[in-house]
Structures are given as structure tokens and as C-alpha cells.
Amino acid sequence: MAMRQTPLTCSGHTRPVVDLAFSGITPYGYFLISACKDGKPMLRQGDTGDWIGTFLGHKGAVWGATLNKEATKAATAAADFTAKVWDAVTGDELLTLAHKHIVKSVNFTQDSNYLLTGGHDKVLRIYDLNKPEAEPQEISGHTSAIKKALWCNNDKQILSAADDKTVCLWDRSSMEVVKTLPFDASVSSMEYIPDGEVLVISYGKTVAFYNALSLELIKTVDVPASVHSASLHPEKDFFVVGGDDFKLYKYDYSTKEELEKAEKTFQWPIETEKRVPDGELYASGSEDGTLRLWQTAVGKTYGLWKCVLPGE
């Protein structure tokens, strides 16, 4: 008998949740940040979903949010033409980085010293957070809005996905493009898994897996609905897909077989989902402003889930 999955539901946002990110595992557990069109990104305890605080200061929708590995810093990308860096412990705003258009993506280097941004002005920017008054390094080449920009290969390279239906790999030192992947539809999500150097890209009704160093295609999987986002489990056992048909799908990575879906039906499309650092759960954010945490192994005692055996 398959056990029924009961998600933890986290409310608080008033508009669609469009991006989620987890920190690494710290001495205090791990943390989750959510970006929302209500302009108020929230920080939560990762395994329980408990609300810790809200970062106040943006004057428009927040499209991207991230935490550094240690969960000491947060960064957000917003429609008010700024990216902001925050102290994730006190909630204080540390920096406002002015852009020329809507900012969609923010990503820290592993040492938290640099922030990569991308957005509607088609330019990638690298900010030295220790010299905030210095002009950022700029990388041009995309012909449409940048949706996602990520450090990869030990921060020596950059991956960017844009509305021009391409994903580009850039060399950080030369700032030149190394390789471009063209797609026949706009890329809806891109996730980089450093452990094993896997790149997960979704476009149209397809989820594609690439080697992140060579950009060689590993495999593609077709999904019944248009994909908003896709996320691979750290052990590469399975991946989850959020679609615009109000369902969250789960597939076996090696066989491509669908593992479960039917009971996960929402009133709103899944905008985004991510898996956590220890692989024990994954989170989804939807258009109704709700975050949900889902267990990887249903029936296991973890976080707020208590395993109750029959007869106990």
C-alpha cells in the first residue's frame, strides 16, 4: 500500500511564490527562502517550514531569492530594478544594487564574496560584495531577458538561461561564452547540481539533463504538461516536476518511470520547487502563495513528520 503524502503547508504570502532556495546544512539546520510577487521574501526553517522572518525593503515583486551556504546572507532580485543583499541572521539590509531593469536572478559564489545577477536588461553582472561601491563586471551576449544565472565549476564558470531560448556557459576570467545550447522553446527553469556536475533544464513539456562542464546531453524526459520547474534529488534517484496542470510529478531518474503524481493536485499551478540539501524533502511554491514541504520517503520520522506504526 502506498502511503499517502501529507505535505506541510506554509502560508503567509499573499501572491504567487515564484522562486525557492535552500541554504546548505549549518549547525542550526538548514533554511529556506521564498521569493514572491508580494515583494516580501520570507526566511523559514527548512525542515519544518517554521517562519523565521520577512525581509522588508523591496518596492515591487521579488522574482529571485537565494541564501549562501552558511545561511548568514540572503540575496533577492526584484521588479523595482534592484538586487538586495541581506544579513540573514538579523534581517538587516546590507546592500542595494541598482540595475537598469527588472532583476530576475541572484546567486552567491561559494565563499559569499561575489554576487551574480541577471534580468531584463540582458546583462550578467558580478558584484564584489567587499567593494560594493565598485562597478560590477558585466557580461553581454543574450538578446532577451535573463531568467536564471548560476555559478558552476567551482565558480570558474557561469550558466545563464534567457528568453532568447538559449542557455550559455561563460568563462569567468575571460568573460567569453564557452558554449551555447539552443532550445525550441523558452527555458522555464535551470538547476545546477555541483555534486556530479549535472544541469537540469526544463522547457515546454521537456526536462533535459546535461553534463554541466561539457554541456553534453545526458537524457531528456517528456512530461504531460508544460513544466514550470524541475529539480533532481542529490543522490540522482528521482526528480520532481511542477507543471501548469496543477500537479507535482515525480520520476525515477535512471528509468524515467513516473513514480507518483495523482494525489498532488492543487487549485493553482506549481510555480517552483526545490529539493533540500540532505535530500529528505522537497518544497513547492504555487500561485496561491502557499509553500508546501513534501517528504522524500513517506512515513519516515523527519522534521514535523512523526512515523506512527499501526497499533501504536
Side-chain angles (χ1 to χ4, degrees), residues 181-208:
L181 290 177
F183 294 93
D184 53 13
S186 202
V187 172
S188 54
S189 77
M190 178 172 72
E191 180 187 70
Y192 167 64
I193 295 164
D195 188 23
E197 301 288 350
V198 178
L199 184 61
V200 187
I201 294 171
S202 67
Y203 58 96
K205 295 182 175 182
T206 304
V207 180

Side-chain angles (χ1 to χ4, degrees), residues 40-273:
K40 299 183 173 82
M42 289 187 184
L43 184 68
R44 295 176 188 274
Q45 191 73 39
D47 58 342
T48 62
D50 287 345
W51 177 81
I52 295 169
T54 301
F55 298 103
L56 297 174
H58 278 298
K59 295 175 175 64
V62 175
W63 287 104
T66 193
L67 292 165
N68 66 349
K69 275 204 313 252
E70 300 76 21
T72 53
K73 283 182 185 169
T76 49
D80 59 10
F81 293 18
T82 69
K84 289 182 188 285
V85 179
W86 312 80
D87 183 319
V89 181
T90 64
D92 294 333
E93 186 181 308
L94 300 176
L95 289 175
T96 293
L97 306 169
H99 287 64
K100 297 181 173 72
H101 212 310
I102 292 167
V103 191
K104 283 307 247 320
S105 179
V106 276
N107 194 231
F108 288 107
T109 46
Q110 290 173 45
D111 60 12
S112 311
N113 286 330
Y114 294 88
L115 186 74
L116 172 66
T117 70
H120 281 207
D121 60 7
K122 311 168 197 166
V123 177
L124 293 164
R125 289 183 177 81
I126 301 169
Y127 290 88
D128 183 339
L129 299 180
N130 298 312
K131 301 181 193 149
E133 63 298 325
E135 287 294 310
Q137 285 185 290
E138 296 188 351
I139 302 177
S140 302
H142 279 296
T143 56
S144 293
I146 295 167
K147 272 194 173 153
K148 196 84 177 172
L150 301 170
W151 295 102
C152 70
N153 190 8
N154 291 321
D155 303 330
K156 294 198 282 287
Q157 292 179 312
I158 290 166
L159 287 158
S160 59
D163 282 336
D164 55 18
K165 301 181 184 173
T166 67
V167 165
C168 292
L169 179 67
W170 308 85
D171 181 80
R172 182 189 181 172
S173 55
S174 71
M175 295 168 72
E176 299 288 321
V177 70
V178 179
K179 191 163 176 181
T180 302
L181 290 177
F183 294 93
D184 53 13
S186 202
V187 172
S188 54
S189 77
M190 178 172 72
E191 180 187 70
Y192 167 64
I193 295 164
D195 188 23
E197 301 288 350
V198 178
L199 184 61
V200 187
I201 294 171
S202 67
Y203 58 96
K205 295 182 175 182
T206 304
V207 180
F209 299 89
Y210 287 85
N211 176 302
L213 298 177
S214 65
L215 291 196
E216 294 297 319
L217 180 65
I218 301 167
K219 66 177 87 178
T220 61
V221 180
D222 293 325
V223 183
S226 289
V227 179
H228 277 296
S229 63
S231 187
L232 179 64
H233 185 266
E235 253 83 83
K236 301 186 201 46
D237 302 334
F238 70 89
F239 61 98
V240 283
V241 178
D244 66 1
D245 62 350
F246 314 107
K247 292 197 180 90
L248 197 55
Y249 294 86
K250 189 170 167 182
Y251 288 87
D252 185 296
Y253 177 69
S254 53
T255 66
K256 305 189 191 180
E257 267 179 275
E258 195 176 318
L259 298 172
E260 53 184 271
K261 70 150 191 285
E263 86 263 16
K264 301 193 180 83
T265 307
F266 299 99
Q267 285 131 330
W268 300 100
I270 311 292
E271 291 277 353
T272 181
E273 36 59 43

